[in-house]
Amino acid sequence: MKWAVIYSSVTGNTKKLAEAAAKGLNADIFPVNNIPDLSSYDALFIGYWLRRGSPDEKTSAFLKTLTNKKVVFFQTHGAYVGSEHTVTAFARAGALLGEECTVLGTFSCQCAVSPAMIKARKEGKIPGHKNDNLDDCLKRWKDAESHPDEKDLEAIQNFAKKMQIVAQRDIV
C-alpha cells in the first residue's frame, strides 16, 4: 500500500509525530498547506492540532475534500489523552470527511502548548474549557511540556506499523 502522511503544525509537535509516523510507514509526507494530488495513495495518515475541540481550520477544510479514502487520524493537544475533549475531537474530525471514507484508527498525544496561547489564557483573552479553571489548565499544560518525547515518537511509529496491517485487512 502507498501511504501519505499529511499534517498541520504550529509549534512543531505534530510535525515531529508526522515524521515518526512517515518513517514507520515508509510514506511520503506533506504539510496540509502543500498537498499534491492524492489519487495514487491508498491510505492517508492525517495529523492535526486541536483548536476548540476540533481539528485546526486548515485540516478541517482538507478533510471535507476527501472521498473514498482510508484514513488514520492523529492529534496533538494540551489535554490528557483519553479525556472527553480528545475523544470528541476524533468524532468531529470523522464527521468532516467526505463520502466513502473509512477511519482505520486514531492516535492521540498530549503535547506542549503554545506559549502564546498560555499567555493569552492567563491574561483572560481566551476562555477556558467548559468547567476548567486556570489552575487546572496550568497543571495539565505543565504535564504536557516535555511532549512529544522519545516514547511518544516510538509509540506513533509502532501504531503506524499496526495501521498498515489494519489497512491490508480492510482491502481483503
Side-chain angles (χ1 to χ4, degrees):
M1 287 192 77
K2 187 172 178 184
W3 286 80
V5 175
I6 297 161
Y7 69 92
S8 177
S9 189
V10 173
T11 62
N13 294 328
T14 312
K15 181 179 181 182
K16 287 178 190 175
L17 289 162
E19 291 168 345
K23 185 176 177 184
L25 293 165
N26 191 28
D28 297 328
I29 183 170
F30 308 100
V32 74
N33 57 347
N34 193 21
I35 302 170
D37 175 13
L38 297 173
S39 60
S40 67
Y41 292 94
D42 301 302
L44 307 176
F45 207 89
I46 303 170
Y48 51 86
W49 49 279
L50 293 186
R51 183 174 189 280
R52 296 185 172 176
S54 295
D56 65 273
E57 291 176 10
K58 288 180 183 178
T59 302
S60 292
F62 166 65
L63 294 175
K64 293 174 186 177
T65 70
L66 295 176
T67 56
N68 199 30
K69 287 291 182 188
K70 293 175 184 2
V71 174
V72 174
F73 291 131
F74 69 101
Q75 63 187 18
T76 59
H77 46 76
Y80 291 119
V81 173
S83 68
E84 180 65 27
H85 182 73
T86 62
V87 171
T88 301
F90 282 128
R92 289 179 177 143
L96 294 169
L97 289 169
E99 293 182 20
E100 302 298 319
C101 288
T102 302
V103 178
L104 301 176
T106 60
F107 183 91
S108 184
C109 187
Q110 184 184 33
C111 291
V113 175
S114 161
M117 200 280 284
I118 292 172
K119 182 177 185 273
R121 177 73 161 83
K122 284 180 177 178
E123 294 171 352
K125 294 179 181 173
I126 56 174
H129 299 303
K130 185 177 178 182
N131 301 323
D132 279 357
N133 66 40
L134 182 57
D135 290 338
D136 291 341
C137 290
L138 292 173
K139 182 194 179 314
R140 194 171 54 249
W141 296 337
K142 180 73 174 162
D143 293 343
E145 273 181 4
S146 63
H147 296 275
D149 61 16
E150 288 303 315
K151 286 183 180 181
D152 297 323
L153 299 177
E154 182 179 339
I156 197 168
Q157 199 169 42
N158 291 334
F159 174 74
K161 291 174 184 177
K162 288 178 186 174
M163 289 299 98
Q164 283 181 311
I165 295 167
V166 169
Q168 289 291 348
R169 287 183 190 150
D170 193 58
I171 290 174
V172 177

